[in-house]
Amino acid sequence: MQESGKTQYICEEDIQRQLHICEEIKQRNEARREGTPLACIQTYGCQQNVADGQRLMGMLEACGFAFTEEAGRADLVVLNTCAIREHAEQRVFGNLGLLTHTKRERPEQIIVLCGCMAQEERTARRIRESYRHVDLVFGPQALWRFPELLRQVYETKKRVFSVEDEAGSIAEGLPVVRERGVKAWVSIMYGCNNFCSYCIVPYVRGRERSRDPEAVLAEVRQLVEAGYKDITLLGQNVNSYGNDLDSGYHFPDLLEDISRIPGDYWIRFMSSHPKDASPALFDAMARCGPVAKQLHLPFQSGNNRILREMNRRYTRESYLELIRYARSVMPGLVLTSDVIVGFPGETEEEFLDTVSLVEEVGFDALFTFIYSPRPGTRAASMPDPVPRAEKQRWFDRLLEVQNRHSAKIHAGYADRTVRVLADGESGDGDYPLSSRTEGNRLVRLKGDPSLIGRFLDVKITGSNTWALYGEPV
Ligand code: 5AD
Ligand code: SF4
């Protein structure tokens, strides 16, 4: 390992060793009588996991695997899991249960559980004791060592668990298989230091660490050259990018440098934490042509007592001030946010502060979640007297306010001509193309699939709460 500032980088030799193991496994696979082995990767949760899934695919491809969506046909099944809410975990356990059948039919099948759930001690214990058909378990910090761990399973024919509580490191140069198309994701940092009291992420993804700006710039340049046109920079809190590099280089600097890469493309980023979002960030966004004028800024609650209990370290007022400033330098900015309803001890009156904040800001869209206790977090031990059914009523009420507002904003697009990027097929016969505006609003289009990958001017002819409809002009 090498250290730069506080960040640990996996050294070139260690990465080369993993690639060498991939080659070894590949040779073994090529000698198989049964032909090319198949891997099935099931990814749950956020974009960060999707990006991790693309690395897993890259490593498996280097090991000589081809891919299938059907676990029943696969020689290797990988569950790339999410721990953010209980529901996500239940789905994984449900699917793990189903895999007992596929393994009974194919005893040679290898089952791997990785991602955020794997890093939770109680999950690892449960897998060890009750899901004995799982062969390999490793957390996000060990992702780069997947080839080595897989070889260990092949060679020892024993179950392998690599779930030590590591602070985390940065591994450059791992292979990646990207989805073909126009969208790509680039992790610029890993981990989180914020310890919001409801959140499991800092416990499973380790401490904040930023990739070297040169490595990020090289990756984005490569993506633009390869024809990707909608590139999203990822991190749990991109606004603290660079804090660990001790070089005075921060997220707005990265946006400026990326924007100098020639080409026709949009740059987005998520997520931002309001405590670290600054006027300097919004000024950089406004100045940089390729940076989409779109902001996802989770506020979680509109009530100051709840924000304090959540350990969010900003207030309703300072949040509103940020939004005012962002809109003053970027008129027409598209704004989205995350909200938690029913945090432990939240009263109806406090919840109504969330509703009023939503009404005051007028978000383009909102991601709303009912609070889900995560064992080991501070909030999980707080008294939580409000019944689930009551929280559901609050949730429905908030959703109704937001849906009405989204429909109204969308109706305001009528007859306007907007620039969109056609990014795929929609599956809707009348409007067969799917596209996105600079603000990332979905526009279903009349038109031919040959337009996919192109920026187009379209006229908006209709809308509802979730989408706009239009045709190329
Ligand atoms: N319960 C409900 N929602 C949560 N989130 C994070 N942790 C929890 C939890 N324990 C939500 C937050 C965050 C989004 C990614 O998930 O709103 O911004
Ligand atoms: Fe979780 Fe807060 Fe970190 Fe986001 S900033 S990942 S909500 S702890």
Side-chain angles (χ1 to χ4, degrees), residues 264-467:
D264 203 5
Y265 59 93
W266 282 326
I267 285 287
R268 310 180 190 283
F269 54 87
M270 65 185 296
S271 265
S272 280
H273 194 307
K275 85 177 163 54
D276 301 308
S278 62
L281 168 70
F282 302 141
D283 291 344
M285 284 177 75
R287 243 189 339 261
C288 295
V291 175
K293 305 305 176 258
Q294 173 232 327
L295 182 66
H296 180 68
L297 195 63
F299 73 91
Q300 314 296 2
S301 164
N303 175 271
N304 284 337
R305 188 189 75 84
I306 296 296
L307 285 173
R308 236 178 358 259
E309 291 292 307
M310 288 177 163
N311 190 30
R312 290 290 287 178
R313 288 172 281 172
Y314 55 84
T315 61
R316 173 190 178 98
E317 293 73 27
S318 66
Y319 183 85
L320 288 171
E321 184 49 41
L322 277 177
I323 300 294
R324 251 190 305 275
Y325 186 82
R327 282 178 163 159
S328 75
V329 293
M330 291 175 283
L333 176 71
V334 167
L335 263 174
T336 56
S337 198
D338 292 345
V339 188
I340 296 178
V341 171
F343 183 81
E346 184 174 47
T347 64
E348 181 160 15
E349 214 183 338
E350 288 165 334
F351 160 71
L352 289 174
D353 285 341
T354 291
V355 178
S356 80
L357 189 141
V358 167
E359 282 171 332
E360 194 170 337
V361 173
F363 293 98
D364 292 76
L366 206 57
F367 299 87
T368 38
F369 308 102
I370 292 184
Y371 168 75
S372 168
R374 306 285 62 220
T377 61
R378 205 154 58 71
S381 56
M382 296 177 184
D384 189 4
V386 175
R388 169 84 194 193
E390 179 71 359
K391 293 185 182 184
Q392 185 68 48
R393 274 191 290 277
W394 296 356
F395 178 88
D396 294 345
R397 185 164 167 189
L398 182 63
L399 211 60
E400 200 193 305
V401 169
Q402 181 56 44
N403 285 349
R404 221 179 315 122
H405 191 74
S406 292
K408 198 168 131 200
I409 294 192
H410 283 169
Y413 281 84
D415 297 328
R416 272 172 54 193
T417 299
V418 293
R419 188 166 183 252
V420 299
L421 174 63
D423 62 6
E425 295 187 44
S426 71
D428 172 341
D430 293 335
Y431 294 88
L433 279 185
S434 133
S435 71
R436 292 280 168 170
T437 65
E438 179 178 345
N440 213 17
R441 307 315 298 144
L442 173 64
V443 186
R444 292 176 186 255
L445 286 183
K446 291 195 185 239
D448 191 83
S450 64
L451 296 172
I452 293 171
R454 303 239 310 254
F455 284 104
L456 308 165
D457 285 328
V458 303
K459 184 165 172 189
I460 302 300
T461 52
S463 70
N464 58 28
T465 301
W466 300 277

Side-chain angles (χ1 to χ4, degrees), residues 17-27 59 62-63 147:
R17 192 161 49 85
Q18 299 302 319
L19 298 179
H20 189 76
I21 296 172
C22 288
E23 190 53 39
E24 243 178 67
I25 297 176
K26 186 175 179 180
Q27 282 172 12
M59 290 186 264
C63 291

Side-chain angles (χ1 to χ4, degrees), residues 51-297:
D52 285 354
Q54 296 180 340
R55 301 266 162 211
L56 289 164
M57 255 181 122
M59 290 186 264
L60 285 172
E61 193 182 63
C63 291
F65 281 84
F67 299 97
T68 173
E69 312 240 303
E70 290 168 58
R73 291 181 57 216
D75 300 278
L76 181 104
V77 183
V78 183
L79 271 60
N80 182 22
T81 65
C82 168
I84 198 97
R85 283 172 288 275
E86 196 181 349
H87 178 69
E89 295 203 348
Q90 281 164 348
R91 275 180 59 211
V92 169
F93 279 116
N95 284 347
L96 262 187
L98 294 177
L99 290 177
T100 51
H101 307 296
T102 65
K103 187 132 177 175
R104 203 169 298 135
E105 276 166 31
R106 311 172 67 100
E108 296 298 307
Q109 186 175 61
I110 291 192
I111 298 176
V112 180
L113 185 117
C114 62
C116 291
M117 266 173 83
Q119 196 74 46
E120 293 179 295
E121 217 179 280
R122 75 194 155 85
T123 305
R125 201 178 326 120
R126 186 163 162 196
I127 301 285
R128 225 184 261 278
E129 287 163 10
S130 315
Y131 293 79
R132 305 201 55 86
H133 57 306
V134 177
D135 302 284
L136 170 59
V137 180
F138 63 89
Q141 273 81 278
L143 182 84
W144 67 278
R145 292 197 291 118
F146 176 42
E148 178 184 333
L149 297 170
L150 186 59
R151 182 177 65 180
Q152 205 178 327
V153 173
Y154 284 133
E155 285 182 352
T156 64
K157 308 245 180 294
K158 291 209 176 100
R159 308 175 78 197
V160 174
F161 285 73
S162 177
V163 292
E164 310 79 42
D165 188 15
E166 300 171 61
S169 54
I170 291 198
E172 295 288 352
L174 292 174
V176 54
V177 173
R178 291 185 197 273
E179 223 174 284
R180 249 171 289 164
V182 294
K183 290 185 200 215
W185 286 271
V186 176
S187 300
I188 62 165
M189 58 190 299
Y190 306 93
C192 181
N193 288 354
N194 293 311
F195 291 93
C196 301
S197 62
Y198 50 80
C199 187
I200 193 72
V201 169
Y203 300 91
V204 292
R205 284 205 174 257
R207 296 291 65 72
E208 266 175 14
R209 51 218 189 265
S210 307
R211 286 178 70 194
D212 181 57
E214 289 305 324
V216 175
L217 285 166
E219 188 170 340
V220 176
R221 201 173 295 121
Q222 205 184 8
L223 290 170
V224 171
E225 280 165 10
Y228 290 95
K229 293 188 163 60
D230 193 335
I231 299 169
T232 305
L233 309 178
L234 296 177
Q236 303 302 337
N237 172 18
V238 294
N239 299 128
S240 54
Y241 175 82
N243 288 356
D244 56 317
L245 297 175
D246 293 336
S247 61
Y249 190 94
H250 294 289
F251 188 58
D253 303 311
L254 186 67
L255 284 182
E256 302 259 8
D257 281 344
I258 288 175
S259 296
R260 288 196 198 99
I261 296 172
D264 203 5
Y265 59 93
W266 282 326
I267 285 287
R268 310 180 190 283
F269 54 87
M270 65 185 296
S271 265
S272 280
H273 194 307
K275 85 177 163 54
D276 301 308
S278 62
L281 168 70
F282 302 141
D283 291 344
M285 284 177 75
R287 243 189 339 261
C288 295
V291 175
K293 305 305 176 258
Q294 173 232 327
L295 182 66
H296 180 68
L297 195 63

